[in-house]
Amino acid sequence: MATGPISSLWQEVSPARGVDPVLAGEHHADVGIVGGGLTGLSTALHLARRGCKVSLVEGRSVGWGGSGRNNGQVIPTLAGCEPARLEATYGKAGERLVGLVQDSAEYLFRLAESEGIDCEAEQSGWFQPAHSLEHLRLSEARVKAWTERSASTWMLDRLACVALLGSEDWFGGMFNPTGGHINPLMLTRGLANASERAGAEIFENSPVQDISQTGAGWQIKTPTGSLHCDKVLLATNAYSGELSKTLVPEVARSIMPVLTWQMATEPLNEAKRASIVPGREAVSDTRGDLRYFRYDARNRLIAGGGLIVPVNAQSRIRKLVSDRLTGAFPQLGTPHFNHTWSGHIGVTTDHLPHFHQLGPGFYTAVGYNGRGVALSVSLGREFAALLDGVDEGELALPWTEPRPIRAHAIARRLARSALLYYRWRDTKPPKL
Ligand SMILES: Cc1cc2nc3c(=O)[nH]c(=O)nc-3n(C[C@H](O)[C@H](O)[C@H](O)COP(=O)(O)OP(=O)(O)OC[C@H]3O[C@@H](n4cnc5c(N)ncnc54)[C@H](O)[C@@H]3O)c2cc1C
């Protein structure tokens, strides 16, 4: 389960990383970061590159949250949020955020390359096939919207779609050549190593229990030590509230951590592999109850999904995803899943990512709605600039107040049933 140790494919195939020390005694830094996922680590790397003294405190181990458990699709768009909405909601900062999103996949691949991070990166493109003819109109509207903002993206017609997927189940869709996929745990650990090489300090197994203002700065407290710093980034995202119920509860209660499952088939033989997504693109379709899949470096097909009722979860989710894959790709036969794992996606009620200023020099970002791999890496660059004193007016960080969700504990239990609504909505024409 999400709160236990990860027993994922990524854990098994990724080279181990040395364990960083526990925070003990008194430490000082210009910037303290809480949370060792892609957001925190990318911020640490970019701050260290700028010459700042930065310390990152992770409650478990680097990549323990969503960053080490995800599907690894590098996608330069947001989920269910079109660029015009970001601009209309957030004004100039929203326009800059649209620019950041559209460049985010390219940025991730180039950063991994320049830092020499081996993360089994494949920039093979990202494809969003339409699951109905009506949704094909949505894909066209998306392509139009993104190309008007000079993103590199285009439509694939039905024939090209069938050829790309090796399946007749979809109708065409939006293709973006800058996307692709990575091994997310290798990327996260690689960013941690790169941050340390650049001068950042990382503490692991150090759950933060309190962040309090002390004069002009902040004190980050764990059971065994304290970090004193001028500025703080809280980068706990969907895992906010997971290790400490009292740490900035208004942030934990402002998002819905939704449990989602991942699974990996056995490595496919070459004949099967060449007949299913032969170009090895990352694929996630237009449904709310998403169909998505990509290969890993050993030709395992990695897919996933969610459940409404959590009873017998592992066997039921395997059956559901197996049926869906076999339905779309009869040539696959019945897949055998060697690895099944889960993680929490940080969902916001308006489906927008949220950025909050929690005090002077104290910031957070939450709620990437399942599209955080590329986004978080670029946001790290943005937060590093902010924390190093760059004027907010130049940055892609639109601020809002955290708005705790009412009856959060109950809403959290009911969040899974949103899948029922998504399944119903998937059968209806989309709003254009
Ligand atoms: C199953 C799954 C599949 C996904 N697939 C994709 C995908 O294919 N493509 C995509 O773009 N996005 C995907 N996502 C979303 C993506 O993984 C996340 O948006 C992204 O990893 C968020 O990174 P983060 O650094 O903000 O948060 P996280 O990686 O969750 O990091 C937060 C960290 O904070 C730590 N923490 C929490 N509380 C404390 C505390 N009190 N003290 C110290 N540390 C603390 C946690 O241990 C954790 O390591 C997926 C998510 C999941 C769960």
Side-chain angles (χ1 to χ4, degrees):
M1 293 296 291
T3 47
I6 313 174
S7 160
S8 70
L9 168 71
W10 308 128
Q11 193 79 357
E12 189 179 298
V13 300
S14 305
R17 180 176 177 272
V19 180
D20 281 306
V22 168
L23 182 78
E26 304 288 310
H27 291 256
H28 296 264
D30 299 330
V31 177
I33 297 174
V34 180
L38 290 170
T39 303
L41 290 162
S42 175
T43 307
L45 171 62
H46 286 91
L47 275 170
R49 280 176 164 189
R50 284 172 163 269
C52 291
K53 182 168 167 27
V54 52
S55 299
L56 183 148
V57 188
E58 163 57 46
R60 298 286 179 97
S61 56
V62 155
W64 184 79
S67 299
R69 304 169 188 242
N70 64 62
N71 196 257
Q73 298 209 13
V74 182
I75 304 175
T77 69
L78 297 179
C81 168
E82 311 306 331
R85 182 160 163 240
L86 269 185
E87 292 158 355
T89 312
Y90 291 144
K92 287 279 170 211
E95 285 173 24
R96 291 189 288 272
L97 186 56
V98 166
L100 176 146
V101 169
Q102 79 182 35
D103 294 339
S104 60
E106 181 67 16
Y107 188 73
L108 181 151
F109 285 111
R110 298 293 77 82
L111 181 71
E113 211 169 65
S114 68
E115 290 294 339
I117 298 173
D118 175 8
C119 55
E120 300 175 343
E122 295 187 44
Q123 197 171 14
S124 44
W126 173 65
F127 184 46
Q128 185 180 47
H131 69 279
S132 73
L133 275 174
E134 288 93 345
H135 283 81
L136 199 58
R137 305 284 90 80
L138 177 66
S139 304
E140 284 164 357
R142 283 182 175 157
V143 166
K144 183 167 179 290
W146 281 108
T147 46
E148 277 169 5
R149 288 155 181 87
S150 45
S152 170
T153 188
W154 56 82
M155 282 299 291
L156 296 188
D157 64 14
R158 163 100 175 148
L159 271 181
C161 169
V162 170
L164 185 148
L165 295 173
S167 169
E168 307 220 332
D169 271 20
W170 288 272
F171 292 83
M174 173 165 81
F175 181 74
N176 186 310
T178 68
H181 47 88
I182 43 101
N183 169 328
L185 189 58
M186 282 175 79
L187 175 68
T188 310
R189 288 177 175 171
L191 279 177
N193 295 339
S195 309
E196 287 180 327
R197 278 198 306 272
E201 193 174 33
I202 299 178
F203 300 98
E204 290 183 295
N205 298 304
S206 305
V208 172
Q209 295 178 321
D210 184 51
I211 302 172
S212 52
Q213 211 170 351
T214 51
W218 296 90
Q219 185 180 22
I220 295 172
K221 267 199 207 155
T222 69
T224 51
S226 282
L227 176 65
H228 301 267
C229 45
D230 301 331
K231 295 179 182 175
V232 181
L233 177 71
L234 181 70
T236 48
N237 212 330
Y239 287 80
S240 302
E242 195 73 18
L243 306 185
S244 162
K245 297 286 169 224
T246 52
L247 182 69
V248 204
E250 68 271 28
V251 169
R253 288 205 296 264
S254 72
I255 50 163
M256 206 45 80
V258 176
L259 191 71
T260 179
W261 293 88
Q262 300 290 293
M263 62 217 69
T265 65
E266 288 175 322
L268 301 192
N269 65 39
E270 186 48 27
K272 279 188 188 174
R273 196 215 58 77
S275 74
I276 299 169
V277 197
R280 308 178 64 83
E281 293 83 356
V283 181
S284 35
D285 80 357
T286 45
R287 288 180 172 89
D289 184 15
L290 208 60
R291 313 292 195 267
Y292 56 96
F293 33 86
R294 42 78 48 108
Y295 284 111
D296 80 339
R298 285 145 292 270
N299 295 333
R300 293 183 177 93
L301 208 46
I302 306 169
L307 288 173
I308 297 163
V309 181
V311 181
N312 292 331
Q314 291 222 18
S315 57
R316 284 180 46 243
I317 193 73
R318 280 197 212 114
K319 167 101 175 64
L320 179 76
V321 174
S322 168
D323 288 350
R324 286 177 175 177
L325 282 176
T326 313
F329 304 103
Q331 67 271 42
L332 179 64
T334 305
H336 181 70
F337 296 115
N338 294 66
H339 302 83
T340 308
W341 67 101
S342 64
H344 282 133
I345 284 181
V347 173
T348 54
T349 48
D350 59 9
H351 302 292
L352 297 172
H354 292 173
F355 306 90
H356 308 305
Q357 301 193 356
L358 301 165
F362 182 10
Y363 308 98
T364 194
V366 289
Y368 304 163
N369 295 283
R371 288 278 169 87
V373 171
L375 178 68
S376 55
V377 172
S378 285
L379 284 178
R381 180 195 60 215
E382 219 62 8
F383 272 113
L386 175 78
L387 292 158
D388 192 28
V390 171
D391 190 273
E392 281 175 28
E394 293 175 32
L395 301 174
L397 296 169
W399 305 112
T400 54
E401 289 296 314
R403 261 188 269 139
I405 296 166
R406 273 198 214 145
H408 187 261
I410 299 169
R412 191 176 166 165
R413 256 178 266 136
L414 295 177
R416 284 185 295 264
S417 45
L419 265 182
L420 270 180
Y421 166 70
Y422 290 137
R423 283 176 192 164
W424 169 80
R425 204 184 55 180
D426 288 342
T427 64
K428 305 284 169 212
K431 280 196 194 127
L432 295 178

